Structure formats: structure tokens, C-alpha cells
Amino acid sequence: TLVFAIAASAAPVPNQIVYDNDLKNFWQDWSWTAHDAAQTAVVHTPPRAISWEADGWGALFFHHALQPFTNYTGVRFWHRGNGAQQVRLVIYTNTSVEIGSLTLTVPATWTQRVVTWAELGINTSTNPRFDGILFADNSGSNQPTVYLDVVELVGANLPHPPPTTVAVS
């Protein structure tokens, strides 16, 4: 009798681009603020980036069909402003239910930021899916322009399941 240990391998989930020069992967722009998703004056990765007025509770809102949290570990993006803007990153489910958020101070130079579900306070067992990513003014007042570039979901590196023992006679 021969005994083999066969390890099944779960493929890692790749990053999902939300915005890189334009919206990708069926993400839609449901924003309610003055913005330009194709401006070319201030970019991190040419030729385009998003510029928006982070004013009066206005927001960039990216919407998608419901997705499982387990496929991703968080959101990664590049942002730039004047170093003082206050912006909230919010994750939504069912289009309008806020399930996690974090207030960010936008840096004065292009800076990459990775925000995990845990940092956003999301309990992925009670909220298994999401469909919106929102960047919102957190001041209620007039703030200078904020820029975003290369927004993506960070793919999960799923753990490998334990090996299965198979006996062959």
C-alpha cells in the first residue's frame, strides 16, 4: 500500500483595479461632487488621475455589484492634496449601508496608502459582501482639490488547505 499526501492549492485572488486612468472591472461612478476622472495636470501614473473638490460633504462614490470581502484584504490607492484635507474612506454594502470607515489626512505629496478591512472597523463575518467605495469630505467646508490615482482592491492570498491523504493499494 502506498500513501500519498496531496495538497490542494487555492489560487490567490489577484488585485482588482477600480480606477487606473479610468474606471475598470465594471466599477461605476456614482459620485456627488465636482470631479474630473480624466484630468492630466496632476497625476501619479500618467496619463490621467481623478481630481475632486472635497467640499460640503461631497463624495467620490465607486459602485460595483456585491463582492465578497474574503476575496480582498483592503483598499490601496495613491492620494495627494495640500497636507491638511480631511477625507473619509467608507465601505458600503447594499448601496447605502455604511459598514466601515476611516478618516484620512491627505498628504501634500503623492503617497500610496493601503487600508485594511480591520482598519476600517469592518467585521467581515457579519458583513460578508460590499458594493461601494467612497471618498468623502469630512469637514463640511470648502477644501482644496484632492487627487486620487490607481485605486484597487488588494487581493487575498488565500491559505493553502491542509493536504489530503490518499491510500493506493
Side-chain angles (χ1 to χ4, degrees):
T1 300
L2 298 172
V3 177
F4 295 96
I6 300 173
S9 178
V13 176
N15 292 353
Q16 183 182 113
I17 296 172
V18 175
Y19 176 91
D20 186 4
N21 294 311
D22 58 12
L23 290 171
K24 309 277 188 197
N25 297 305
F26 304 105
W27 283 90
Q28 300 172 357
D29 185 350
W30 287 16
S31 303
W32 60 88
T33 191
H35 68 290
D36 183 353
Q39 67 83 28
T40 58
V42 180
V43 300
H44 178 266
T45 304
R48 295 182 290 273
I50 301 170
S51 65
W52 64 290
E53 290 295 319
D55 300 335
W57 313 115
L60 292 175
F61 183 47
F62 305 118
H63 180 266
H64 193 281
L66 283 167
Q67 299 193 72
F69 276 109
T70 54
N71 283 354
Y72 307 100
T73 60
V75 181
R76 178 169 46 209
F77 53 92
W78 288 88
H79 59 154
R80 175 183 172 178
N82 72 356
Q85 293 103 323
Q86 295 295 303
V87 173
R88 280 180 70 223
L89 171 60
V90 184
I91 303 299
Y92 278 91
T93 191
N94 298 322
T95 306
S96 62
V97 179
E98 180 180 318
I99 55 175
S101 69
L102 180 68
T103 300
L104 310 168
T105 300
V106 182
T109 60
W110 282 110
T111 302
Q112 187 178 58
R113 181 76 192 260
V114 178
V115 180
T116 65
W117 302 143
E119 286 178 278
L120 289 159
I122 297 171
N123 181 338
T124 59
S125 61
T126 58
N127 296 290
R129 299 177 301 165
F130 68 101
D131 61 1
I133 302 169
L134 178 128
F135 292 88
D137 166 53
N138 200 40
S139 70
S141 61
N142 185 17
Q143 296 192 79
T145 302
V146 174
Y147 301 92
L148 281 177
D149 207 349
V150 191
V151 179
E152 62 189 337
L153 298 172
V154 179
N157 291 318
L158 302 175
H160 296 289
T164 303
T165 302
V166 176
V168 178
S169 317

